Amino acid sequence: MKNLLITLLSLCATSTLFAQSGLEIMQKNEAQMSSKFQTVNLTMKLTSAKGRVKERTLEWQSSEMPQGTEKSLIRFTYPADIKGSGLLSIDENNVETMWLYLPALKKSRQISSKEKSGSFMGSDFSYSDISSEDLKDYTYKVVGSESIFGHDCYKIEATPISEETIKETGYATRILWVRKKDHMITQVNYFNKEGEHIKQLIANDIKDAGNNKLRAYTMSMKNLVKGSSTVLSFSDYNINTPIENEVFTQRNLSSW
Amino acid sequence: MKYNLCVLFALAHFLGYSQLKPQIGGSLEYDYFNYFETIDDKINGRNEGTFTLSLSSDKKSNVKWNSDIEFRNDLLNENRKRVMLKEMFFSVPSGKFDISAGKRILNWGVTEGVSPLNCINPLDYSDILDIEDQEIGEYMIKTDFYHKDISIEVLYIPVTQYSILPTMDSRWFPELETKAPHPLDPTQTLPVEYQYVTKKQNTKTPEADFGAKCKYFFKGNDISLLYFNGYSNTPISTISNFGFTGEHYQATIEEFTYNLQILGLGFERFLGNVGLKIESAYHIPDVEDSIISDEASTEYIHSVISLERIFQGGEVIKNIHPIILYSNESPLDENNFDNKDLQHIFQNALVGKISIGIGDNTEVEVTGLYTFNASDFYMKSSCKYALADGAKCFVSGTTLGGETDGFFGSYDNNDRISLGFSYEF
């Protein structure tokens, strides 16, 4: 009986250790990814299951305030039929509000910030894939160690704490590969509630983007169910150059 | 037109922005449609090409200017041929203020389709069902003030523009009595000839509009309050000078506009995944009763509530976006509005719209409207297919029906099918 108790206690301690270790790794990743201000240009290449290719270009500006307020503005610059369309997101005290500006409508309007599982502008990325992750919403467990693209990586299983997060994101589990040397995520496998592997993200061309911050310059997301894929190519990173607060306003969103 | 363009470029040069590379864009569209039923002496279709050229300032520049010029030609309908400056304005930011001047389209409403707060711009009703691109720009001076989550907009329109109504050869021109009883022998009838006076006559002067809107964002709620004082953009047509020549009757159709005040409230927020939008506008007309009907002087409240949600789909059906909207007009006296009055189409109406994204390139949309006051309806189904980036082809079918004393019911022979192509660059 005593032995069994010791065994159980040690098992709990081991799993807690792994959980903490997973969380610590993710905290280091968060520290690497965080920046008070960031501006980047993106080219989004969408390839359908039938091989049809579409391209979008956009500019992305974001800011993170110490008190937890996150703001971002995404503005499409190509092609012509969506040029000028903008998406403003303000996350204040864990309440996120999003506005969409469409030049044809000549006004900005609120859109739902709850449907995070929805496709981001028709791509294979969902809104939750491109949003920064709240570490409090998940448990992170180190499940192994593997070499991916020549880099020694931690293999971490991320599980949402609440059903609400599963519903919002559409993912029941994710397996993340985090590079040991710099804590950058290089691959993510996404699983739905049925345990089906539905998507795969590969981040590569990771290099210094300025201000001692590493960034992936290419991210590709494969939808394994649909057979489509989206490649994001990043350029002109500008990290921690202050962005005026005025940028993240409906005034600026609608001034295109 | 040349003068307008010269003014724009001179202004841009004066402001010192000509050194910045202007952005050039535009669109090309072809529309063809045909009615299922042909009506003699009416225009029974459209075969139309539209080219829009957009010139604007560099988006990185502090001062912005924008202009849209439309060239439209229709082989079947002379009335739709036009070269029109849709918008041409500049905007200068100065601290918490934006000052802008020029011709522009403003959208003050929050709801889609039926929006009582969209009272600034007149509309082109030459084809009543063609609701896209209907707004006509107004020349205005506008100042915006921004402070935290509050914005205040004040505008002055020196000369009011008016909505374009269907001409007598249009299938959307209201049906008129073509015969009237003989004055001496009521058992006999005589033909009635109409003369249309397109010059708008106002019951009050001067012809200026002004308005203000205050918008406040508070904990997920977008709240706006507005005041408008100006002219009704949509004229009222009246039949006058009903004279007898001995062989026939002669009548004159005249258009009148009247002074109007609007107090409005707009509200928008998300309740979970459901978007809630509410608009309410209190209309206070100032009409000389001797000129226009009693109904025109009736004060009323027009309110609209809409709910919408986007459902994410799967592999084939990508997303489904339903919107349901209810519109109600409440007169504040015993007068009731005519069911066929263009200004009061949505007296007691339910509108439903559903957009379905299929695959990567196809969008199917169905819109239905039913009026409880007139028991008539309108339904449109359309399908758009993206051929390439910026290029789309589309096909649609429209049907109208119901009681013939209703607006939509009175056009029950205007069912039609259309197809087209558009390219944006």
Side-chain angles (χ1 to χ4, degrees), chain A residues 52 106-107 109 114 251, chain B residues 87 98 109 112 273 361 386:
Chain A
R52 190 172 156 175
K106 298 182 191 302
K107 66 173 178 182
R109 59 174 203 173
K114 298 282 179 191
R251 176 190 190 180
Chain B
E87 282 194 294
D98 279 348
E112 271 183 51
N273 294 319
N361 308 308

Side-chain angles (χ1 to χ4, degrees), chain A residues 145-154 177-182 184 186-187 202-206:
Chain A
S145 182
E146 279 178 16
S147 178
I148 295 275
F149 308 120
H151 293 276
D152 203 10
C153 296
Y154 298 108
W177 282 263
V178 184
R179 303 202 310 191
K180 287 182 179 175
K181 68 168 185 181
D182 50 25
M184 290 294 288
T186 191
Q187 184 175 315
I202 291 170
N204 46 33
D205 197 13
I206 294 168

Side-chain angles (χ1 to χ4, degrees), chain A residues 78-90:
Chain A
Y78 178 86
D81 54 348
I82 58 164
K83 189 177 176 181
S85 299
L87 184 71
L88 173 67
S89 164
I90 297 178

Side-chain angles (χ1 to χ4, degrees), chain B residues 111-375:
Chain B
T111 53
E112 271 183 51
V114 184
S115 177
L117 300 188
N118 270 344
C119 53
I120 306 299
N121 296 95
L123 301 171
D124 181 354
Y125 287 117
S126 59
D127 180 345
I128 286 170
L129 296 189
D130 193 0
I131 54 171
E132 279 178 27
D133 237 12
Q134 251 187 344
E135 294 100 341
I136 298 166
E138 289 266 26
Y139 290 96
M140 66 179 76
I141 299 163
K142 187 164 90 80
T143 304
D144 293 81
F145 169 75
Y146 300 91
H147 179 68
K148 294 183 177 171
D149 291 326
I150 297 175
S151 66
I152 299 170
E153 227 173 299
V154 180
L155 62 90
Y156 175 72
I157 298 168
V159 181
T160 306
Q161 308 281 312
Y162 297 108
S163 296
I164 298 168
L165 298 181
T167 50
M168 288 184 81
D169 55 2
S170 165
R171 294 177 65 117
W172 301 103
F173 190 82
E175 204 171 304
L176 298 170
E177 294 293 339
T178 54
K179 286 181 179 174
H182 194 288
L184 302 175
D185 179 6
T187 59
Q188 302 291 313
T189 56
L190 286 172
V192 183
E193 286 183 5
Y194 293 93
Q195 188 191 2
Y196 200 84
V197 177
T198 52
K199 186 179 181 299
K200 279 82 179 167
Q201 300 186 39
N202 292 325
T203 56
K204 292 274 164 65
T205 52
E207 287 187 45
D209 296 341
F210 63 91
K213 179 185 165 189
C214 178
K215 192 174 172 187
Y216 179 43
F217 176 72
F218 176 69
K219 291 188 176 175
N221 303 291
D222 263 319
I223 304 158
S224 48
L225 290 169
L226 67 88
Y227 173 72
F228 173 82
N229 188 327
Y231 280 84
S232 63
N233 290 323
T234 305
I236 291 177
S237 299
T238 62
I239 297 174
S240 57
N241 304 323
F242 205 83
F244 178 55
T245 63
E247 292 174 350
H248 62 268
Y249 288 103
Q250 250 183 349
T252 306
I253 303 166
E254 289 180 286
E255 287 180 5
F256 286 95
T257 58
Y258 54 89
N259 193 255
L260 172 78
Q261 291 180 81
I262 296 173
L263 287 166
L265 168 74
F267 176 80
E268 184 181 5
R269 76 154 296 141
F270 265 87
L271 304 166
N273 294 319
V274 179
L276 168 70
K277 293 173 182 176
I278 298 171
E279 280 187 28
S280 196
Y282 174 29
H283 288 246
I284 312 162
D286 185 5
V287 180
E288 287 181 24
D289 293 346
S290 58
I291 299 176
I292 316 178
S293 63
D294 288 348
E295 288 77 20
S297 61
T298 296
E299 293 181 10
Y300 68 99
I301 296 170
H302 186 186
S303 303
V304 169
I305 180 166
S306 87
L307 295 168
E308 66 179 282
R309 185 174 173 180
I310 297 176
F311 295 92
Q312 298 299 329
E315 198 179 341
V316 180
I317 295 183
K318 289 247 174 160
N319 55 65
I320 301 173
H321 183 188
I323 303 175
I324 188 153
L325 180 147
Y326 175 68
S327 165
N328 180 270
E329 287 185 2
S330 303
L332 299 183
D333 59 25
E334 70 282 359
N335 287 319
N336 285 315
F337 302 119
D338 191 314
N339 288 337
K340 291 184 185 175
D341 189 337
L342 187 58
Q343 294 202 43
H344 302 286
I345 299 176
F346 307 108
Q347 287 177 45
N348 190 4
L350 187 68
V351 183
K353 179 177 163 184
I354 186 161
S355 306
I356 304 168
I358 302 169
D360 292 324
N361 308 308
T362 310
E363 189 183 332
V364 172
E365 197 172 280
V366 179
T367 307
L369 177 149
Y370 181 78
T371 72
F372 297 99
N373 53 306
S375 301

Side-chain angles (χ1 to χ4, degrees), chain A residues 207-230:
Chain A
K207 55 190 180 190
D208 190 355
N211 278 308
N212 297 320
K213 293 286 183 185
L214 293 171
R215 292 291 182 267
Y217 277 70
T218 308
M219 284 189 187
S220 75
M221 180 72 89
K222 268 186 194 167
N223 189 316
L224 304 172
V225 179
K226 291 192 294 182
S228 56
S229 65
T230 301

